[in-house]
Amino acid sequence: MRVLPVGDLALLVELADGDEAQALHAELLRRRAAGLIRVREIVPAARTVLLDGLDDPGRVGAELAALEIPPLSARDEDVREIPVRYDGPDLADVAAHWGVPVTEVARIHSAAEFRVAFCGFAPGFGYLTGLPEHHEVPRRATPRTSVPAGSVALAGPYTGMYPRSSPGGWQLIGTTDAVLWDHARVPAALLTPGVRVRFVPMPSAPTHSGAPLSEAR
Amino acid sequence: MTDRAFAVVRAGALTTVQDQGRPGHAHLGVPRSGALDPAAARLANRLVGNPSDAAVLETTLNGCSVRPRCAVTVAVVGAPCPVTVDGRPVAWGAPVRVPAGALLDVGAAVSGVRCYVAFGGGVSVDPVLASRSTDLLSGLGPPPLADGAVIPLGHAAAPHARVDTVPHPAPPRELILRVTSGPRADWFTASALRTLTTRAYRVSSASNRIGLRTEGPSLERAFTDELPSEGMVLGAVQVPPDGRPVVFLADHPTTGGYPVIAVVREADLAGAAQAVPGTPVRFVPAGRR
């Protein structure tokens, strides 16, 4: 763990990898809830956690350096299921990267268990880890000027879903109707850091509404 | 529709609704947003008798014109500019009573960039995550003002301040930004760090509510690796591949993948909000607190 000062009020804690960052994030949330640390923002990212709005960054930094971080436990949390139609325009490219038939992409992706490592890019956009390392894919060489809302996409080690239409360079493998962001809802974001996620395949051609999940492929 | 409202006659280059923003949601990818010159927004509110976090209008360079449907007290502060009611000059930096149906014109900034227009009772659009701020990066809050739009006002609670003059800093002729070392300062060469704090930069016309872009000498990286995304603070001096430092302002992304060489003191960012394109910028090392 390396603790880096960020201006007068913040610290960036650098960890060895994403798993350690997620474990520290979970521990910091526990400590904040228990009143052990006062901080305005706790922002996990790929392999760091930012603490912003600290009263005394020097003292907190010293405490962090001495902190025992419990490993992440997966058992005590629910898994959020997100229905996906695996009908994205980049399915063939992803299958080619993985060296599998196109029909295998949905099976491989929906077999993995994901965790929201961090959010960013847009409100409600989560960076989900959980795909095995050999299934990482590069970003598209040319980003799309407009990715439709609800797109399920891959880039590097991450899976993400676009809460609203925006430009984007990720590989689109599917579509979800899940409402990823609704500011009238509490919490507004469906996915918050630490949440576990599993994707449930839905029929890709909407022949009739309310198709049972058992027909999924 | 209630008559506690105003119609937008001239929206101007960019006029948004702003309050003190929505901090505390960065982990969801939500920028803090809020008035770029928060002291000016608070002062405008104080002049009309509002709480300091009431929503105001933030204009950019050429002001705006509105026609209140009710008599309302307004105050314009921030960048100095001519203010008129039905074509008649009225005070800048003081409470002004605008009759129902009269045209309030906030003119082009004489110096500086952003004017803050407070209305007695505050701008009363629906809050999003407890803030009425327009967030241009993520599209939260009300859209920027458009000609013909009708914007609701709240009910004034307190009498306005009776003042003749208010102290207010003038927009900077030269922008001095005090910086402390950033988390990724070691990603740059020693000469890049020297360049940042000794050479002259200028405010770029590409600046906006997301960041103050600068023109000047390029900062050389010691590592060219790609930085995995990490959390970004207000005032972060991020250096994209072109080497020109960008100072993150209120609508900045909550995570980013370019290294942060330095961090600007928050107190100096209001000056950044009021520095017109071309203003000289100096990054100077801040003393330890």
Side-chain angles (χ1 to χ4, degrees):
Chain A
M1 181 195 292
R2 225 164 48 116
V3 181
L4 306 165
V6 183
D8 294 326
L9 305 171
L11 296 172
L12 186 71
V13 188
E14 188 176 63
L15 291 309
D17 55 32
D19 288 348
E20 274 195 22
Q22 292 178 47
L24 174 65
H25 175 245
E27 176 62 13
L28 288 170
L29 291 184
R30 271 194 293 276
R31 295 177 74 82
R32 179 162 70 176
L36 297 171
I37 183 171
R38 283 181 52 186
V39 56
R40 189 177 60 234
E41 308 269 12
I42 303 176
V43 188
R47 56 185 172 85
T48 57
V49 180
L50 173 74
L51 293 94
D52 192 9
L54 291 163
D55 297 336
D56 186 351
R59 182 179 54 76
V60 173
E63 285 172 10
L64 285 172
L67 192 65
E68 288 278 327
I69 306 168
L72 273 181
S73 64
R75 285 171 300 282
D76 51 349
E77 301 159 49
D78 290 335
V79 178
R80 193 151 300 171
E81 295 196 336
I82 297 198
V84 178
R85 293 183 298 277
Y86 285 93
D87 57 3
D90 299 326
L91 269 182
D93 285 352
V94 170
H97 278 295
W98 290 358
V100 299
V102 170
T103 50
E104 274 292 280
V105 173
R107 194 191 60 75
I108 292 169
H109 190 253
S110 59
E113 188 179 296
F114 294 85
R115 179 183 284 269
V116 181
F118 60 100
C119 296
F121 171 65
F125 187 95
Y127 292 74
L128 280 58
T129 53
L131 262 189
E133 210 168 295
H134 60 277
H135 285 143
E136 293 188 9
V137 294
R139 285 160 202 259
R140 286 168 49 84
T142 309
R144 290 186 169 84
T145 52
S146 177
V147 173
S151 294
V152 179
L154 306 180
Y158 301 114
T159 291
M161 287 164 277
Y162 287 75
R164 60 177 190 141
S165 176
S166 70
W170 292 32
Q171 311 266 4
L172 310 185
I173 60 167
T175 317
T176 181
D177 297 327
V179 180
L180 298 160
W181 178 265
D182 175 2
H183 60 72
R185 181 176 66 189
V186 179
L190 182 66
L191 305 177
T192 56
V195 164
R196 293 162 68 213
V197 171
R198 188 182 286 281
F199 292 98
V200 180
M202 300 276 287
S204 56
T207 48
H208 56 93
S209 60
L213 290 184
S214 57
E215 286 181 10
R217 179 66 187 91
Chain B
M1 163 82 67
T2 163
D3 65 352
R4 293 295 306 175
F6 63 82
V8 179
V9 176
R10 178 178 67 85
L14 175 67
T15 302
T16 60
V17 177
Q18 297 296 337
D19 54 19
Q20 302 295 308
R22 44 182 76 83
H25 304 285
H27 63 291
L28 302 180
V30 176
R32 76 164 69 191
S33 199
L36 282 200
D37 186 343
R42 281 194 296 271
L43 175 59
N45 275 323
R46 186 158 65 85
L47 290 170
V48 299
N50 287 344
S52 64
D53 59 351
V56 301
L57 298 182
E58 177 184 280
T59 70
T60 310
L61 292 170
N62 69 347
C64 68
S65 300
V66 301
R67 198 183 292 282
R69 294 177 168 184
C70 53
V72 62
T73 304
V74 302
V76 181
V77 300
C81 66
V83 183
T84 62
V85 173
D86 280 341
R88 188 170 46 85
V90 296
W92 177 94
V96 171
R97 192 73 178 161
V98 180
L103 183 71
L104 168 71
D105 185 72
V106 179
V110 176
S111 61
V113 176
R114 294 176 168 94
C115 297
Y116 292 85
V117 189
F119 300 82
V123 177
S124 182
V125 295
D126 290 338
V128 174
L129 300 179
S131 166
R132 296 183 162 92
S133 286
T134 300
D135 170 354
L136 294 178
L137 182 74
S138 58
L140 299 185
L145 260 55
D147 292 353
V150 176
I151 311 289
L153 291 171
H155 287 274
H160 62 80
R162 299 189 181 280
V163 294
D164 295 322
T165 59
V166 290
H168 189 67
R173 304 176 78 92
E174 183 185 32
L175 182 60
I176 307 291
L177 298 176
R178 290 169 296 169
V179 294
T180 52
S181 183
R184 302 297 173 190
D186 61 352
W187 280 49
F188 296 86
T189 62
S191 81
L193 292 165
R194 244 188 343 268
T195 298
L196 177 71
T197 53
T198 56
R199 302 276 298 278
Y201 286 86
R202 282 182 314 281
V203 175
S204 159
S205 57
S207 300
N208 54 25
R209 285 186 43 85
I210 296 166
L212 180 91
R213 293 172 186 278
T214 63
E215 293 163 354
S218 176
L219 301 176
E220 192 192 359
R221 294 257 295 259
F223 300 110
T224 51
D225 305 21
E226 196 167 325
L227 180 71
S229 276
E230 59 190 28
M232 292 284 146
V233 298
L234 183 68
V237 183
Q238 204 191 45
V239 183
D242 70 4
R244 266 78 185 200
V246 179
V247 180
F248 273 171
L249 303 180
D251 286 1
H252 73 85
T254 59
T255 61
Y258 298 130
V260 171
I261 190 171
V263 179
V264 175
R265 284 268 169 88
E266 193 167 330
D268 294 354
L269 294 175
Q274 295 295 3
V276 295
T279 301
V281 182
R282 281 195 298 131
F283 295 93
V284 303
R288 299 296 304 171
R289 257 205 332 200

